[in-house]
Amino acid sequence: MERLKVGLCGCGGLGRVHAANLAQMEDVDVVAVCDKRPEQLVAKDVTINISTGAKAFDITKCRTYTDFGTMLRKEKLDVLVTALPTDLHAKIAIKAMNNGISVFTEKPMALTSKQCTSMIAARDKNGVQFMVGQCLRFWPEYVALYNAIRDKTYGKLESLTMTRIAGYPSWSADSWFMNHERSGAAILDMSLHDVDFAIHSLGKPTALTAGGFIGRTGGIDDVAAIWDYDGCMVSIRCSWKAQAFAMSFQAFFETASMDFGMAPDPALRLRRAGATEDEKVQVESVTGYVRELQYFLDCVRGRHPNTVCSAESTRDSIAMIELERKAIKTHRWVKVG
Ligand SMILES: NC(=O)c1ccc[n+]([C@@H]2O[C@H](COP(=O)([O-])OP(=O)(O)OC[C@H]3O[C@@H](n4cnc5c(N)ncnc54)[C@H](O)[C@@H]3O)[C@@H](O)[C@H]2O)c1
C-alpha cells in the first residue's frame, strides 16, 4: 500500500496546516475533507498561534462533506487525519477505526486517560494504525534535545525547564477552546506539548507537584509543574495569559547546557562547560507537523513500526495532566506510578 487515500475531518486552524502539508507529499491523495461548517470548506489561509509556513491548500480537488458519517459511507479511505475540537477526538477516531481506517488524530489524544484506553482498544480490535500528533516528538530542536538526553552526549541531564505561553486561542469559529469542558483548558491543550516531551524523553517521574490558576476557560489556564526524576528536576510552565506565543527550553547537562527560544528567530544554542561563547546548533528547517505525518504514513505503509509516538505513551501524558490537576487541588506532591 504505497499510495494512500487520505480524508481530513476538521478544516479549521490545524486541519488546514495538515491538508496543505499532505498535499505536498508523494503518494498521498487528499480525496475528501469534512467540516460541519460549510464556510470552512473553502480556500483560506492558515491561522494558528505559530507560523507553520503552510499555504492555503486547493480544496477544489477534494470532495467535501459537512457530515462525518456521510463521508465515511461514501469514501474508501486508507487514512483519516482529524483536527477537531478535543471533546470529539475519541468519538470520531473510534468510529473511523471501527470502519477499518487508520487514524492520525491531533493532540490532545482525548480529554481523559479513560477515553484514551478506549481508543487503544479500537486500534487493537481493528488492526489499524493510530497515532496522536504530538508534534514536539518530531520538532527538529526538540529531536536534538531528545538525542542528547538519550545518548548522554553531554553527560547526564540534571535539570530541564520548558515554557510555552500564548494568548487565549482566538481563531476557532465557535470558541470551543474557551470552554474547559471541551478543550481541557491550557493545562491540557497547551502544557501537554511539554508534558508529552518529558514522557517521551525521560519516561514517568517518581513524583510531581503543580500550582495553577483558573482562567477564562473555567479551567487551569496558568500552570507551573515540577517533576522529580530522582536527581533530575523538570519544570514545565504554561500560560494563556501572554500577549504572544513563545516556546523555549533550557537543558542543563553535566558538561553543557542547551537553550532553545523562538525570539527573535528560532535558535538552538549549546554552551560547553568552560566555554565563553555559545555554539549555534544546526537543525533541519522543517516543522514537526510535516515530519509527524510522514512518519505516521510510513507506519501505515508498513515501512516501520511506530516506536516514536505510540498511543500508549501519549496516553501516559494525559494521565500526567490528571495527576497535575490532583496536585493543584490538594497542594501536595503526588507519587507517580
Ligand atoms: N499540534 C499543535 O501545535 C496544535 C495547534 C493548534 C491546535 N491543535 C489541536 O488541533 C485540534 C483542532 O484545533 P484547531 O485550532 O484546528 O481548531 P479550529 O476550531 O480552528 O478547527 C476545528 C474545526 O473542526 C470543525 N468541527 C467541529 N465539529 C465538527 C464535527 N462534528 N464534524 C466536522 N467538523 C467539525 C469546526 O467547524 C472547525 O472548522 C485541537 O485538538 C487542538 O488542540 C494542535
Side-chain angles (χ1 to χ4, degrees), residues 117-134:
T117 299
S118 309
M119 295 162 104
I120 291 171
R123 176 200 67 186
D124 294 344
K125 186 176 89 184
N126 296 293
V128 293
Q129 294 288 330
F130 170 54
M131 192 176 108
V132 181
Q134 291 294 168

Side-chain angles (χ1 to χ4, degrees), residues 13-14 35-37 40 86 89 106 171-172 176 189 289:
L14 212 66
D35 197 292
K36 72 171 190 180
R37 273 191 204 83
Q40 297 286 71
T86 303
H89 289 189
E106 247 322 307
W171 61 85
S172 73
W176 64 270
D189 188 80
Y289 299 130

Side-chain angles (χ1 to χ4, degrees), residues 67-198:
D67 174 63
F68 178 62
T70 310
M71 179 165 97
L72 267 191
R73 273 196 308 280
K74 295 211 169 165
E75 299 289 338
K76 266 198 130 342
L77 302 175
D78 301 309
V79 169
L80 179 74
V81 172
T82 77
L84 290 160
T86 303
D87 55 322
L88 296 175
H89 289 189
K91 184 176 145 199
I92 298 285
I94 290 171
K95 198 165 174 181
M97 287 191 271
N98 284 342
N99 278 269
I101 300 169
S102 290
V103 175
F104 174 97
T105 188
E106 247 322 307
K107 50 56 65 180
M109 186 168 170
L111 286 174
T112 65
S113 54
K114 196 170 165 205
Q115 289 175 340
C116 297
T117 299
S118 309
M119 295 162 104
I120 291 171
R123 176 200 67 186
D124 294 344
K125 186 176 89 184
N126 296 293
V128 293
Q129 294 288 330
F130 170 54
M131 192 176 108
V132 181
Q134 291 294 168
C135 54
L136 286 197
R137 296 186 188 217
F138 300 89
W139 211 273
E141 288 84 354
Y142 288 80
V143 172
L145 172 61
Y146 174 87
N147 290 342
I149 294 171
R150 181 196 58 197
D151 300 342
K152 297 196 169 58
T153 317
Y154 312 109
K156 194 174 161 299
L157 178 72
E158 296 184 320
S159 178
L160 172 64
T161 300
M162 291 182 281
T163 305
R164 191 164 300 272
I165 54 168
Y168 281 97
S170 58
W171 61 85
S172 73
D174 65 356
S175 295
W176 64 270
F177 280 108
M178 296 304 292
N179 176 352
H180 74 106
E181 289 178 357
R182 301 194 67 198
S183 67
I187 188 173
L188 180 71
D189 188 80
M190 205 165 73
S191 184
L192 176 67
H193 282 294
D194 298 307
V195 162
D196 181 74
F197 183 78

Side-chain angles (χ1 to χ4, degrees), residues 155-275:
K156 194 174 161 299
L157 178 72
E158 296 184 320
S159 178
L160 172 64
T161 300
M162 291 182 281
T163 305
R164 191 164 300 272
I165 54 168
Y168 281 97
S170 58
W171 61 85
S172 73
D174 65 356
S175 295
W176 64 270
F177 280 108
M178 296 304 292
N179 176 352
H180 74 106
E181 289 178 357
R182 301 194 67 198
S183 67
I187 188 173
L188 180 71
D189 188 80
M190 205 165 73
S191 184
L192 176 67
H193 282 294
D194 298 307
V195 162
D196 181 74
F197 183 78
I199 285 290
H200 175 50
S201 53
L202 294 162
K204 291 183 192 173
T206 51
L208 61 79
T209 191
F213 290 92
I214 307 274
R216 281 162 44 201
T217 68
I220 309 276
D221 292 332
D222 205 347
V223 58
I226 297 176
W227 292 21
D228 178 352
Y229 281 94
D230 287 334
C232 170
M233 186 179 85
V234 174
S235 50
I236 303 172
R237 175 85 180 96
C238 172
S239 179
W240 268 347
K241 297 193 171 176
Q243 300 301 327
F245 176 78
M247 62 180 178
S248 63
F249 65 72
Q250 293 80 39
F252 304 150
F253 295 91
E254 287 170 304
T255 65
S257 51
M258 273 179 120
D259 182 298
F260 170 65
M262 295 280 290
D265 297 308
L268 178 61
R269 296 188 176 81
L270 181 78
R271 174 76 67 103
R272 293 177 199 271

